[in-house]
Amino acid sequence: MSSQNSSQSPDQQGRKPRVAVVFGGRSSEHAISVVTAGAVLRSIDRSKYEVLPIGITTDGRWALTADEPERMAIADRKLPSVEDLADSAGGTVVLPVDPASREVVYTEPGVVPKALGEVDVVFPVLHGPYGEDGTLQGLLELSGIPYVGSGVLASAVGQDKDYMKRVFTSFGLPVGPYVTIRPREWEHDESAAREKIVAFAAEHGWPLFVKPARAGSSIGITKVDDPSGLDDALKEAQRHDPKVIVEALLRGREIECGVLEFEDGPRASVPAEIPPVSSHDFYDFEAKYIDSASGLVPAPLTPEQTAEVQRLAIEAFEAASCEGLVRADFFLTEDGTFVINEINTMPGFTPISMYPRMWQETGVAYPELVDRLIQAALRRSTGLR
């Protein structure tokens, strides 16, 4: 049975739906989440929705922030943070724990708690662990508040590259060679774990890509050309996640495709291509966000290739039980085969992000994209579905 709130809808109450944009968070993608929130706040139709910005600091405090998207951009290579945007250094926003109430409260030491009103839907633009990985989604399920994007399971699967690939494989989707080093393996016998990677390289060749298993925005990834670089790469990945995934190099083109939930089901955008960046060894964090490397939208593919990658993107969306949106990333290998690399259940919405650019080219402008996501969330109940 659904835990959907039985109270009247905002329209029945004679008010606009209230959207809480939640951003920041404890992951290493904190700054990119803030940038994404700024873009979303600029684009929400204020004649249609009320907006409540809530930032989560790097230490996990839920802070009330000013509705000032212009302060949420990367300026002079400086990354923004919730700490810089918070109304106070100690105030905390508290969500309800009773599904019968959507009243949000603001507390501050030595001050009487203040009711901020009801929230009808949450737009969680957090990236990485503690936000995109099902943890926040579980909290919102307990609170009975609808939210944009995938539920607990799909969010968790979409965050963990190891289990994501296992799910895709079980549904017959093509994935590249990889090996996973789990925390217990590393703690029990570092030498054996390292040899496991060397044996993988002997089978699939160097270079390898060493990644945090549950991070995004290309943070913590190292391209390793030979065994001498392996230890430093593992340390860098483990700074972000004790679980590490190692992938073989796939030679080919990087292709991305967006999936968006419409009233009649998920649809795929025109695909994009990420061309090689001459100043970077691969499409890393700085290439994406600091140096603004741009992709080709639409990707120069044949009609048959476009149809195939769109089909695979929707299959990946369905395989992981996603909702709302997904960006699916592929390699088009030298033999003409598409291999899925990963999905992002809450892809970046920064002005240069590929997901909104692909939908813009498909005919869905940024404000409409934001509106469709909010409306899809309002149509869904929380609970089992």
Side-chain angles (χ1 to χ4, degrees):
M1 185 172 68
S2 170
S3 62
Q4 185 176 14
N5 193 321
S6 60
S7 62
Q8 289 181 316
S9 69
D11 288 340
Q12 290 172 320
Q13 296 171 5
R15 63 177 178 84
K16 294 180 287 189
R18 198 160 194 227
V19 182
V21 178
V22 180
F23 61 96
R26 294 163 54 190
S27 83
S28 52
E29 297 176 76
H30 177 98
I32 297 308
S33 173
V34 176
V35 176
T36 295
V40 170
L41 288 169
R42 277 191 294 270
S43 300
I44 289 181
D45 185 350
R46 304 307 177 97
S47 69
K48 191 172 181 179
Y49 304 105
E50 293 182 11
V51 177
L52 177 66
I54 301 174
I56 302 177
T57 63
T58 52
D59 62 2
R61 178 172 64 91
W62 288 51
L64 195 61
T65 69
D67 187 2
E68 299 176 358
E70 65 277 2
R71 296 174 56 198
M72 301 180 182
I74 298 173
D76 298 324
R77 304 177 75 89
K78 183 180 184 298
L79 300 174
S81 70
V82 169
E83 283 79 355
D84 294 335
L85 298 163
D87 280 358
S88 77
T92 301
V93 176
V94 181
L95 290 184
V97 292
D98 179 2
S101 170
R102 293 177 181 172
E103 187 84 26
V104 176
V105 175
Y106 179 70
T107 67
E108 199 166 356
V111 179
V112 176
K114 175 184 176 182
L116 299 178
E118 290 191 350
V119 166
D120 300 294
V121 63
V122 170
F123 200 134
V125 293
L126 294 104
H127 305 307
Y130 314 112
E132 190 184 352
D133 61 348
T135 50
L136 176 63
Q137 290 73 16
L139 174 62
L140 295 172
E141 292 286 350
L142 290 172
S143 298
I145 303 176
Y147 52 92
V148 169
S150 291
V152 175
L153 174 65
S155 298
V157 168
Q159 188 64 46
D160 190 315
K161 296 177 177 64
D162 175 23
Y163 282 98
M164 181 197 307
K165 292 176 188 291
R166 292 172 185 266
V167 168
F168 290 158
T169 299
S170 72
F171 277 83
L173 290 162
V175 303
Y178 72 98
V179 65
T180 303
I181 304 298
R182 299 170 183 270
R184 288 179 184 172
E185 288 181 81
W186 186 256
E187 292 164 5
H188 177 69
D189 192 337
E190 290 185 16
S191 178
R194 198 176 291 107
E195 283 302 315
K196 180 179 175 180
I197 300 172
V198 172
F200 176 78
E203 180 179 359
H204 298 286
W206 299 89
L208 302 175
F209 287 91
V210 179
K211 305 179 177 183
R214 294 163 292 192
S217 296
S218 298
I219 290 173
I221 299 177
T222 305
K223 181 182 177 185
V224 182
D225 294 313
D226 56 58
S228 66
L230 192 54
D231 283 353
D232 286 344
L234 288 167
K235 288 178 183 176
E236 173 60 18
Q238 288 167 337
R239 280 202 315 117
H240 304 278
D241 187 350
K243 184 177 181 181
V244 174
I245 190 165
V246 180
E247 297 174 349
L249 172 68
L250 291 176
R251 301 189 184 278
R253 299 160 60 187
E254 292 190 48
I255 306 295
E256 299 183 348
C257 188
V259 179
L260 177 63
E261 183 180 341
F262 285 72
E263 290 82 356
D264 60 352
R267 301 183 196 174
S269 70
V270 300
E273 179 170 3
I274 309 299
V277 183
S278 59
S279 58
H280 295 265
D281 208 17
F282 61 97
Y283 194 46
D284 61 7
F285 179 88
E286 288 212 352
K288 285 182 178 179
Y289 299 109
I290 305 298
D291 296 333
S292 301
S294 59
L296 303 174
V297 187
L301 300 172
T302 67
E304 293 77 16
Q305 289 172 328
T306 296
E308 175 66 2
V309 76
Q310 289 174 327
R311 180 186 69 81
L312 289 170
I314 292 176
E315 283 195 12
F317 182 94
E318 298 285 22
S321 298
C322 296
E323 295 170 292
L325 72 163
V326 148
R327 193 194 72 228
D329 301 345
F330 298 86
F331 290 104
L332 177 54
T333 62
E334 293 175 339
D335 66 0
T337 301
F338 281 105
V339 174
I340 187 164
N341 183 40
E342 64 181 43
I343 58 171
N344 280 266
T345 55
M346 185 52 69
F349 271 76
T350 70
I352 60 170
S353 295
M354 297 307 298
Y355 185 84
R357 287 184 59 198
M358 287 187 287
W359 279 107
Q360 174 78 38
E361 187 68 24
T362 309
V364 181
Y366 198 115
E368 181 187 350
L369 180 61
V370 171
D371 184 64
R372 282 192 172 277
L373 289 170
I374 294 171
Q375 288 298 318
L378 286 169
R379 286 194 301 269
R380 291 196 303 267
S381 64
T382 53
L384 299 178
R385 54 190 185 275

